Amino acid sequence: MVLGRQGLWLEAWKFSVYLMVPIVASVAFNDPERQKYWADYFQFLKYPANPNTNIREQFEQQLEQYEKEKEQRKVYREQLKRLQEQAAASSSSSSYATQEKTNNY
């Protein structure tokens, strides 16, 4: 703990920050348009799904989407693997061709 005049200034500074932060926040976020923007941004108001919808159908749709994405990832991995194999084959064949050219000269 700081004693004397420095301690008084420190305590005054801390107290002013303690008071100013909520006051400034209240003034800054008191605008209704700004409140709506931040509520939408952080999704504070998320309403549940319509009770008339069938939850089973939603789960089935999500499962179908997941399976579709899983298949797409598998195809993508296979494409990448083929591209890497082709790149490795072309680099080895090009290095072989370069080596033959240097041997022929």
Side-chain angles (χ1 to χ4, degrees), residues 1-62:
M1 182 168 168
V2 181
L3 298 175
R5 187 172 294 250
Q6 292 174 344
L8 181 63
W9 284 108
L10 177 64
E11 291 299 320
W13 171 252
K14 289 192 305 188
F15 185 69
S16 65
V17 169
Y18 179 75
L19 288 178
M20 291 304 294
V21 168
I23 292 171
V24 169
S26 297
V27 169
F29 292 105
N30 201 20
D31 182 28
E33 291 181 18
R34 191 171 290 158
Q35 287 177 353
K36 184 179 182 321
Y37 171 79
W38 287 110
D40 291 342
Y41 181 79
F42 288 111
Q43 297 179 355
F44 286 129
L45 304 173
K46 265 195 166 177
Y47 296 104
N50 187 354
N52 296 331
T53 58
N54 191 352
I55 299 295
R56 183 175 299 229
E57 290 175 2
Q58 287 181 352
F59 284 138
E60 290 173 356
Q61 289 174 354
Q62 288 177 352

Side-chain angles (χ1 to χ4, degrees), residues 75-86:
V75 169
Y76 180 68
R77 264 190 259 117
E78 291 172 359
Q79 289 174 349
L80 283 179
K81 186 176 180 182
R82 275 190 265 126
L83 286 173
Q84 288 174 347
E85 289 171 355
Q86 290 174 354

Side-chain angles (χ1 to χ4, degrees), residues 94-105:
S94 66
S95 65
Y96 180 73
T98 306
Q99 189 178 29
E100 280 191 8
K101 286 181 184 177
T102 56
N103 290 338
N104 290 337
Y105 290 117

